[in-house]
Structure formats: C-alpha cells, structure tokens
Amino acid sequence: MRHTESNLRTLLDTYAHDATGREPVPHLDAILRRGRRIRRARRSLNVGVLAVATAAAVMLTGPDRTDQAAVAQPPSSARIETPPELPEKFLVVRGAERFTLPLIHSQRFGTTGGRRTVTFTPTSVSTGYKVVCADPRAWVVVRISLKGGESGGTSGRCGAGMGGHQDRLSAPAKWLKGRQTIQVWVFPPDAPVAKVAEELGRCRAFTKTTDTCDEQAARASLPRPDVLERLSAEVGEQPGGWSVGVYDRPAADPTATSDPAAVERGRPTS
C-alpha cells in the first residue's frame, strides 16, 4: 500500500505520541531525506551496472563490422577464376610464311576437372585453336582429329595459352564436310597428375633419368585415356575459369575453299 507524504506525517506524529517511554522516533524529514538518498544510490547503481553490461557486450561481440569485413575479405574464387578473354587473332607460322586467323568461335567455362567438347564449323584446313586459363599453372589436354582418323593435340601447363592448328597435311579428308569437334580437359594446378600416372604405370615410359614421375613425364602421360579418366574421378568438378577459341578464315574469304593448295598459301600479314 502506498502513502502520500501527508499521510506519513500524520501516522508518524500519532506513533510519536503513543511511543512514550520508548526510544525516540526519527523525525519525518530525516526519514524522507534518507529515502531520497537510498533511491539516488539505487539509480546510480543501476546506471553503473547497465554501463558495465553494455561495455561487456561490446567487448564480447564487438561493434558491427559488416561493411569493414566485406571490404577486408579477399576476393572470392568466382572473381579470381573468371574465364579470361581470348585473343582476337591466332598467329600461324610455317617457315618463312606468317599469317593470322580471326576468332570464329569461342566458349567460356567456370569449372575444371572434366572433359568439354567444343563443336564448330571450319572454313578452311588451316583451323587454329587456343585455350587460355585464369590460372596459368592449370593442366590442359587438347584432343583433335587428325588426317588418319587418330587423335592428336597437346598437353601440359596452360601458361600464357595452349593451342595449335591444322594444315593440309594434318586435317582429315572430311574436315570441310561438316561440323567438327575439339575435346578439352582442364584440371586445377594441384591435380595429382604424377601420382595417377605412376599408379597406372604410365609414367615409366617417359622417365629417362630418374625413377620418379617428374613434371615432364607427368605431362607426357596426361593424354592417356586411363590417366584422364582416373584423374577426372579423383579431382571432380572444381571452380576454375578458362576459355577456348577456334580460329579460321572468314567464310567470305575466297581462299576458304576445299582446295588445299589455295588454303595452304595463306594470307601473309603486312
């Protein structure tokens, strides 16, 4: 039950008159002053506790650093592995003859670890191709059909770009009769190429001066179908940007015919 100050004065005055012979009753003003001091002390204590709790929360959780954290984070793999741009021209050098082929078809990929098939329509027998990678240390295998029906191509680290080109001596007889394909495998730079080649016994044939499967022997073993299959299974699909381009003479180029002699002469650069 709550009392007003007036009620308290009346009760205390009455109690003081009835308390004859007992200990003196404190004056009401002193009691009220004491009550006000107690309330002020409690308020100060509550404020101090709240300040300590707030400081502890800041120390434990820290201030909101969402923006700073976003800025401080390293670039994501998606940014790092963005498929690179391909050059617009492919330089062909055959002895003293030099000419360039324009880009006629390109594809970009954001993952590595498996085979990709690139389909295109050649316009001459001097078709060129090139693979460029976001990470130049990536492993690359390119396979293309050759004149006798077998597969040829190249393999190794991507470097500044890996590629090659056909000519009248290597292009299949039906090269200009329809659509053609190039098969490309790209693996991350830390793919266990040497380990897989060694386990399958494919490295020994290329090891000349040592019993270990060195980088050169691993590169030579990489195009083997069983090595590619095992390596793809072990590595799986991983982020990794790369691009492949096909270069050839424009379809309107009068030298882009099925006449091998006409195409082989090429167009020298100025």
Side-chain angles (χ1 to χ4, degrees), residues 186-204:
V186 178
F187 297 101
D190 59 350
V193 179
K195 169 180 169 290
V196 169
E198 185 68 27
E199 289 176 352
L200 294 174
R202 294 300 190 182
C203 213
R204 298 188 187 95

Side-chain angles (χ1 to χ4, degrees), residues 17-262:
H17 289 119
D18 293 341
T20 306
R22 300 179 183 176
E23 293 182 2
V25 178
H27 193 275
L28 176 61
D29 291 336
I31 293 175
L32 292 175
R33 285 195 299 271
R34 184 181 302 173
R36 285 193 289 269
R37 286 198 301 271
I38 292 173
R39 287 195 295 273
R40 284 196 299 269
R42 286 178 177 172
R43 284 196 296 269
S44 299
L45 179 61
N46 290 337
V47 171
V49 170
L50 179 60
V52 171
T54 302
V58 172
M59 291 177 65
L60 289 174
T61 63
D64 185 2
R65 299 180 182 272
T66 303
D67 295 338
Q68 295 93 323
V71 173
Q73 287 178 351
S76 66
S77 59
R79 293 195 195 104
I80 295 173
E81 301 297 347
T82 300
E85 296 293 332
L86 287 156
E88 292 296 324
K89 301 287 185 179
F90 184 92
L91 176 64
V92 177
V93 179
R94 286 198 296 261
E97 187 179 30
R98 297 165 61 91
F99 60 94
T100 58
L101 300 171
L103 181 67
I104 66 166
H105 178 78
S106 66
Q107 289 182 235
R108 308 174 76 190
F109 301 93
T111 58
T112 64
R115 181 183 66 184
R116 300 286 189 175
T117 299
V118 179
T119 304
F120 61 96
T121 301
T123 58
S124 77
V125 294
S126 291
T127 309
Y129 58 88
K130 189 166 190 175
V131 177
V132 292
C133 312
D135 190 332
R137 299 172 300 134
W139 290 96
V140 178
V141 176
V142 181
R143 185 177 291 168
I144 191 169
S145 297
L146 299 180
K147 196 175 188 69
E150 73 278 14
S151 294
T154 185
S155 64
R157 299 284 187 178
C158 192
M162 180 175 294
H165 67 89
Q166 298 275 33
D167 57 28
R168 64 183 180 86
L169 299 177
S170 61
K174 296 182 179 181
W175 186 250
L176 295 173
K177 300 299 183 180
R179 295 173 69 77
Q180 305 295 336
T181 61
I182 296 177
Q183 294 180 329
V184 184
W185 290 259
V186 178
F187 297 101
D190 59 350
V193 179
K195 169 180 169 290
V196 169
E198 185 68 27
E199 289 176 352
L200 294 174
R202 294 300 190 182
C203 213
R204 298 188 187 95
F206 305 101
T207 302
K208 304 299 182 183
T209 60
T210 178
D211 293 333
T212 60
C213 189
D214 57 17
E215 178 97 354
Q216 183 176 357
R219 179 192 63 77
S221 304
L222 184 56
R224 300 274 188 166
D226 53 350
V227 174
L228 289 172
E229 183 178 357
R230 173 78 69 83
L231 194 61
S232 296
E234 288 204 15
V235 171
E237 189 174 40
Q238 297 188 26
W242 59 281
S243 305
V244 56
V246 178
Y247 300 81
D248 214 332
R249 301 186 183 283
D253 191 330
T255 63
T257 68
S258 57
D259 178 7

